[in-house]
Each structure stands twice: as structure tokens, then as C-alpha cells.
Amino acid sequence: MTDFFKGITPLRYDPSSTDLAFRHYNPDEIVMGKRMEEHLRFAVAYWHSFAWPGGDPFGGETFERPWFGNTMDLARMKADVAFEMFDLLNVPFFCWHDADIRPEGDSFAESLRNFEEIIDYLGAKMDGAKTKLLWGTANMFSHRRFMSGAATNPDPDVFAWSAATVKACMDATHKLDGQNYVLWGGREGYETLLNTDMKRERQNAGRFLQMAVEYKHKIGFKGAILVEPKPQEPSKHQYDYDVATVYGFLKDFGLEDEVQMNIEQGHAILAGHSFEHELALASSLGIFGSIDMNRNDYQSGWDTDQFPNNTPEVALAYYEVIKAGGFKTGGTNFDAKLRRQSLDAQDLIAAHAGAMDICARGFKAAVAMTEDGTLEAMRQDRYAGWDTSDAKAMLASDFSSIAERVASTGIDPAPRSGKQEILENIVNRFV
């Protein structure tokens, strides 16, 4: 045991508590036939909680953590602290990048040795813990070698380094029985077309993803391969801009049946969408997998990764998750970080506890809306005309036949209300 969380006791469900506790999240509460924990599948993000130093685009480190440094001893201390926090929060999952958990070596071989050693250390800790691995991924955006991308880099040696890195991370995820593997193209984009061969970069990125899928099958990994869309930041033009863009990319390379989406609220906002839009689109395309739960500052132009605190927004997101059939291998990963002024160990626990409560409140509201059924009934009524035999026959016909029918029957459609305000009022009954 470390003393980082000294004095903080494991959190319990206690709606009347005025101290650190869950007031809305009861993991054992049965909702829609399952425990709430099994529905929400919370995960802690290793990078923001234990590796992020508290910087922003305008200033550097504000956190001084005892495990910060580039040695294996400090990496093991970081893991010890992480699992103490997992126990305090009673979370079922966590997620990592390779660079979060191991020191950077002077060569690929040294970094790999460090990584494999810390994976064994994490595996030993997981043997005696409740918390399992939701997903692993590779950090191919922080080091300067990735400044021009990883799979899309103009230097084939960087492509090779990246492929070897993803192989190692997939091996580690498989070894730890991770339930998914995520590919996030943090710098898979470009800053100017003046030095960019877009066709070549897209082709290389597509082949890279095909190789990842091929390797998944080679090693017998049964989890999902997830791609996480992110627009604009750090590259202005990202090849994985949003769900629609990624789906077109998957179709282009024959991967639409192999790859699913890990969708983040903050990234949806940067793309000019809502979180629920991206979730609904992924569901309609059959590629919904998992979510990164956070929020963005609506006045800032970058990905602020704040913990969620808006119940209505969260409720609408989980409403789409429920409509998609809920999580299978995915879950709710808190890709969220403390504010730079929140320095204390208690802040880290309170941030997660509050986010878990917000998610529980939003999820229960989404369940209530689903079970009430009014929203879905009104949606179905709006499109009921398409279920008639005439409408179905029209879709099987052609323009000429349709035009003839319009002329012969005197079709003159009257506009119908979309009832948006009424629908919003219905949502407000639950949130």
C-alpha cells in the first residue's frame, strides 16, 4: 500500500451522505434486468488520472505526484496507486496507453522490455483485484517521432515503428484479457496540403488498420477492435474526423464488419455534432462499440476533457446507448482529467465519484424514458406512412412511375408538425 490516498475510505452507496460517497450510483441496483454496474461498465483512464501532469496549451505541470519519473520503480508505484484508487471506487475496468504505464527507453527494444515487465506487474495485481482491462491502446502522438503521424507518416520507418508498437500493445491487451483494443489516430491528419499526399496517407492508414485486424485474428483475440474518431486537434484535418467519416473509411477498406467505434463526447463537440448524434449514427450503421465519457468547455477551442456534470446531456447519450442494445464488450471510460488547480488526492476520487453519480442519474433517466415509450411511439408515428404497402412499392419503383402516380392521384401533401418542443418537454419530465 502507498499513502497517497491516506485517510480516504472505500466509497459506498449512501444517498444521505455529505462526504465522499455515491448518492445515485448503486452498482447492485437492478435496472432493466441487470445490475447497474453491468450496464454502465465504468473504467478509469490511466493517462489522465496517473500520467497527466496538469498542463494545458498555455502552461506546464501543476501536479507533483510521487510516481512521476522515468524509472521502473516509479512505474510500479504508479500501478500500486492506480489499483488503490480502483478499489476505493469499486470500478470494474481501467484503460491504458503503453506510454502511460511504462518508462520510455533509449530504444524500441528497451521500451518494449519495460512495457512487458509492467504488463506482468499489472497482471499480477489484476489476479487479486476486481478491476479488469476494458481496453489497451498505443500512444502514437506524444513523442516527436509521431509529429507527422504514425500510420500516415511520410517516413516508412515511423510506420514500421508504429506497427511494432501496436503489435506489442495488442499482445499485452490479449495477455491481460482486455475486452477491446482501441486505435486512436491522434496525429493521423495533416496541417497543410502543400506537403501532403492525401491519397497515399489514406491508403497507408487503411492498410495499417487491415494489419491490426489480421493480427487480432492471428493471435485469437476475441475482443472488439475500436476506432475512436477525433477532429481538428491536434491536426486540423483528421482522417478519423467523425463517425460518418470513419465509416466511409471502413467501407473503403472492407473493414465495416470488423471494426466498431469508441465515441467520445468531447470529440463529438469538436466535430460540430452532439454526443447523441454520433452514438445514434454509429448504432444505425452497426458499428457502435464503446464510449469515452467526458465533456468539453463550450467556449474553448480544444479538447478540455472535463468530467461530466450535465445530467440531461448524459441522459440523451445513454438513451442512444440503450437503443443500440447497450454495451457488449464496451463500457463507460472516463477520458477526463482534473482541472489544473485540483491538486489533492481527494480531488481525484471526488471527480470520479461525481461523474459516476451523474452517469447513474442520466442512465436511470434514459431507462425511464425507454420504459415509458412515449418518445419512441411518437417517432414511429411520424414515419408510419412508410410502413404502408404504397410507400414500400414506391421505393421499389422508379421516378417515372412515381411521377405518374402523383399526377393521376393529385397528391398534395400537407406539412405535419415535428413536435420538437413537445418531445423536449417529455424529456424534461425525466431529467
Side-chain angles (χ1 to χ4, degrees):
M1 296 290 291
T2 72
D3 62 359
F4 185 72
F5 294 111
K6 185 177 181 180
I8 300 176
T9 57
L11 274 65
R12 299 287 183 262
Y13 173 63
D14 182 359
S16 63
S17 175
T18 58
D19 202 351
L20 282 174
F22 299 120
R23 297 168 184 82
H24 300 276
Y25 174 59
N26 178 1
D28 296 319
E29 182 178 348
I30 302 300
V31 183
M32 298 181 73
K34 289 198 306 186
R35 295 171 61 248
M36 191 180 295
E37 180 182 85
E38 295 169 356
H39 279 292
L40 294 172
R41 293 168 61 84
F42 287 134
V44 171
Y46 215 96
W47 51 99
H48 283 327
S49 293
F50 311 110
W52 184 61
D56 67 13
F58 307 102
E61 178 176 316
T62 59
F63 298 159
E64 296 178 347
R65 306 304 197 201
W67 57 84
F68 280 180
N70 203 44
T71 69
M72 287 302 298
D73 284 343
L74 292 173
R76 284 186 286 269
M77 179 192 295
K78 185 193 301 184
D80 293 341
V81 171
F83 274 82
E84 287 173 15
M85 191 172 100
F86 302 158
D87 287 344
L88 290 173
L89 293 169
N90 192 33
V91 290
F93 296 106
F94 73 111
C95 305
W96 48 252
H97 298 83
D98 57 333
D100 307 326
I101 60 176
R102 57 101 176 109
E104 183 81 13
D106 292 332
S107 64
F108 181 87
E110 183 180 356
S111 291
L112 181 60
R113 285 194 300 271
N114 292 342
F115 182 57
E116 291 174 341
E117 182 178 335
I118 203 66
I119 287 296
D120 288 341
Y121 192 76
L122 290 175
K125 297 191 78 67
M126 289 169 68
D127 284 342
K130 166 185 176 174
T131 305
K132 306 304 179 186
L133 181 63
L134 186 66
W135 48 260
T137 188
N139 180 327
M140 298 189 295
F141 50 89
S142 293
H143 195 281
R144 66 192 298 268
R145 74 174 63 92
F146 301 118
M147 67 181 185
S148 299
T152 59
N153 201 289
D155 184 348
D157 284 349
V158 177
F159 184 104
W161 184 294
S162 304
T165 299
V166 169
K167 176 189 178 296
C169 290
M170 290 182 72
D171 287 337
T173 301
H174 188 35
K175 184 174 185 176
L176 296 181
D177 294 322
Q179 302 204 6
N180 311 269
Y181 183 81
V182 170
L183 292 113
W184 173 59
R187 295 192 187 275
E188 308 296 17
Y190 67 88
E191 296 176 3
T192 174
L193 278 174
L194 297 175
N195 64 6
T196 300
D197 183 341
M198 187 187 295
K199 182 177 180 180
R200 185 188 295 272
E201 290 195 359
R202 284 192 79 257
Q203 290 293 323
N204 287 349
R207 183 62 192 129
F208 193 98
L209 186 53
Q210 288 173 337
M211 288 179 183
V213 170
E214 291 164 5
Y215 192 66
K216 164 192 168 171
H217 294 302
K218 180 178 180 179
I219 64 177
F221 178 57
K222 301 302 181 185
I225 299 292
L226 304 174
V227 166
E228 180 173 332
K230 180 175 182 179
Q232 297 187 42
E233 184 208 48
S235 298
K236 182 177 180 181
H237 300 282
Q238 295 277 138
Y239 295 122
D240 51 359
Y241 190 87
D242 59 6
V243 168
T245 305
V246 172
Y247 184 71
F249 181 87
L250 296 178
K251 291 284 287 186
D252 201 13
F253 293 96
L255 295 169
E256 69 272 16
D257 295 326
E258 293 279 3
V259 176
Q260 299 172 12
M261 295 288 98
N262 183 58
I263 301 167
E264 179 181 312
Q265 194 269 4
H267 296 174
I269 299 303
L270 285 177
H273 305 308
S274 66
F275 195 14
E276 59 267 27
H277 164 87
E278 292 287 83
L279 293 168
L281 183 56
S283 175
S284 70
L285 296 172
I287 54 173
F288 169 70
S290 193
I291 64 174
D292 275 5
M293 179 61 79
N294 58 20
R295 65 186 168 95
N296 265 11
D297 186 320
Y298 289 104
Q299 280 104 25
S300 294
W302 64 88
D303 195 5
T304 55
D305 286 331
Q306 295 168 246
F307 282 90
N309 71 352
N310 187 317
T311 301
E313 284 187 352
V314 170
L316 292 174
Y318 280 120
Y319 187 65
E320 297 300 331
V321 170
I322 291 170
K323 285 170 58 184
F327 298 119
K328 296 177 178 62
T329 60
T332 302
N333 174 50
F334 290 116
D335 188 359
K337 57 194 177 190
L338 296 175
R339 299 303 87 195
R340 297 175 76 240
Q341 300 176 55
S342 299
L343 304 178
D344 299 340
Q346 186 182 54
D347 295 328
L348 195 53
I349 300 298
H352 283 86
M356 292 163 78
D357 267 348
I358 286 290
C359 288
R361 291 177 68 186
F363 177 72
K364 286 189 281 189
V367 169
M369 289 189 289
T370 302
E371 293 177 340
D372 173 77
T374 303
L375 292 173
E376 229 18 66
M378 293 179 67
R379 188 202 311 268
Q380 292 174 13
D381 179 67
R382 190 177 185 215
Y383 293 92
W386 287 102
D387 295 326
T388 64
S389 58
D390 284 347
K392 293 176 181 178
M394 177 174 63
L395 291 177
S397 65
D398 53 47
F399 274 5
S400 297
S401 300
I402 294 170
E404 182 180 343
R405 184 169 70 89
V406 171
S408 64
T409 60
I411 289 178
D412 185 15
R416 297 175 58 195
S417 172
K419 303 183 184 298
Q420 179 173 334
E421 290 76 16
I422 293 173
L423 292 165
E424 290 170 347
N425 290 347
I426 292 169
V427 170
N428 287 335
R429 297 177 196 167
F430 298 95
V431 299

